[in-house]
């Protein structure tokens, strides 16, 4: 298991290379999604570190304390100069780098406020915040088992599309529509922050128009 500070430093390097503006809240959310996807895909934590369901998203207190807690916290930018001197890029295994890079590629294109909306749409954050007002302070940890389930279930749409494609190889439109309908019945709505069912139906419509 990795050290959360090593993963944070790796993210700082990668976002700097991609010329992404990185604030502390944005870094916290990227770390959360790295942890969540590793739990979902590999069934184990990427690093040792829990997240609290704060108002604007997940917060890890080790990272919070590292960057001076709440001192100008929402607007504080993170730079290469914030990387620890002892950080060794090679300490991150290739498999972990691949996962982190994929998370950065997917979630790095959102703004911090958009990521806040995505987090709030997901069950782990909602469960931890149950009984709290939207702007009420909360110190409840986000359940890693719920994170694992949420992000292993998020792989479902791709697997299910493949299943319907095997059954409907001659009709991609029917496969997409059938998949969307069944996902809606199962309550699978959000995938990578998108409404997957709407996307499937839109794709089917576009394919149909091209054929015509």
């Amino acid at each position: 298991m990795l050290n959360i500070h090593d993963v944070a430093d790796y993210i700082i390097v990668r976002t700097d290379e991609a010329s992404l503006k990185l604030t502390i809240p944005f870094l916290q959310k990227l770390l959360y999604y790295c942890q969540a996807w590793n739990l979902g895909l590999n069934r184990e934590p990427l690093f040792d570190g829990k997240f609290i369901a704060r108002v604007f998203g997940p917060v890890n207190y080790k990272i919070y304390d590292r960057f001076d807690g709440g001192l100008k916290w929402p607007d504080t930018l993170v730079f290469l100069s914030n990387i620890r001197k002892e950080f060794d890029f090679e300490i991150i295994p290739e498999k972990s780098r691949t996962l982190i890079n994929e998370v950065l590629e997917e979630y790095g294109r959102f703004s911090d406020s958009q990521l806040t909306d995505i987090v709030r749409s997901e069950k782990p954050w909602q469960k931890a915040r149950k009984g709290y007002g939207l702007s009420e302070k909360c110190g409840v940890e986000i359940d890693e088992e719920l994170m694992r389930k949420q992000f292993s279930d998020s792989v479902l749409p791709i697997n299910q599309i493949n299943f319907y494609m095997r059954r409907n190889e001659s009709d991609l439109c029917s496969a997409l529509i059938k998949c969307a309908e069944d996902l809606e019945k199962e309550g699978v709505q959000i995938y990578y922050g998108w409404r997957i069912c709407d996307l499937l139906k839109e794709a089917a419509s576009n394919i149909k128009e091209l054929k015509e």
Side-chain angles (χ1 to χ4, degrees):
M1 190 180 300
L2 297 171
N3 182 317
I4 189 173
H5 293 292
D6 287 327
V7 178
D9 287 335
Y10 181 87
I11 289 173
I12 294 170
V13 171
R14 285 303 191 200
T15 52
D16 180 78
E17 290 174 348
S19 299
L20 288 177
K21 180 182 177 182
L22 186 64
T23 61
I24 297 174
F26 197 39
L27 173 61
Q28 291 271 14
K29 293 181 182 72
L30 292 175
L31 284 164
Y32 170 78
Y33 278 114
C34 287
Q35 184 79 316
W37 278 106
N38 205 74
L39 284 165
L41 295 173
N42 300 318
R43 300 187 174 276
E44 63 180 6
L46 178 66
F47 50 76
D48 182 17
K50 307 289 186 179
F51 289 87
I52 304 299
R54 296 288 291 269
V55 173
F56 294 105
V59 170
N60 175 275
Y61 277 126
K62 291 180 182 178
I63 298 300
Y64 182 87
D65 292 339
R66 173 177 168 180
F67 290 96
D68 298 323
L71 182 62
K72 297 182 180 179
W73 193 73
D75 302 317
T76 303
L77 290 173
V78 183
F79 302 101
L80 279 178
S81 57
N82 293 119
I83 293 175
R84 298 164 306 138
K85 291 180 180 179
E86 64 269 28
F87 173 60
D88 180 2
F89 199 84
E90 298 300 321
I91 203 169
I92 310 291
E94 188 63 35
K95 182 179 179 180
S96 298
R97 289 188 207 179
T98 299
L99 182 138
I100 298 168
N101 291 342
E102 288 176 352
V103 168
L104 296 181
E105 183 177 352
E106 183 59 38
Y107 292 95
R109 57 196 178 84
F110 296 111
S111 68
D112 183 62
S113 61
Q114 288 174 320
L115 277 187
T116 295
D117 290 338
I118 293 171
V119 168
R120 286 174 171 175
S121 75
E122 296 166 347
K123 290 181 181 178
W125 188 87
Q126 293 173 355
K127 179 73 173 178
R129 296 280 309 181
K130 188 174 182 179
Y132 290 86
L134 190 60
S135 59
E136 189 176 353
K137 186 176 180 179
C138 169
V140 179
E141 283 186 358
I142 300 176
D143 189 335
E144 286 192 346
E145 177 57 26
L146 286 179
M147 290 166 65
R148 183 201 63 75
K149 188 175 188 307
Q150 168 82 33
F151 289 89
S152 59
D153 287 351
S154 291
V155 181
L156 172 64
I158 299 302
N159 293 337
Q160 200 146 347
I161 291 168
N162 290 335
F163 169 75
Y164 286 113
M165 281 299 296
R166 288 193 296 270
R167 293 180 58 189
N168 302 273
E169 291 181 1
S170 61
D171 190 349
L172 177 59
C173 292
S174 296
L176 291 172
I177 292 171
K178 177 63 176 172
C179 181
E181 290 173 349
D182 283 5
L183 287 173
E184 284 180 329
K185 290 177 184 176
E186 294 171 18
V188 179
Q189 294 291 329
I190 304 296
Y191 177 63
Y192 267 145
W194 299 324
R195 291 187 59 81
I196 184 66
C197 300
D198 291 345
L199 286 176
L200 289 171
K201 291 176 181 178
E202 183 180 347
S205 177
N206 291 339
I207 292 169
K208 186 176 179 180
E209 287 179 7
L210 287 173
K211 285 184 177 181
E212 293 174 350

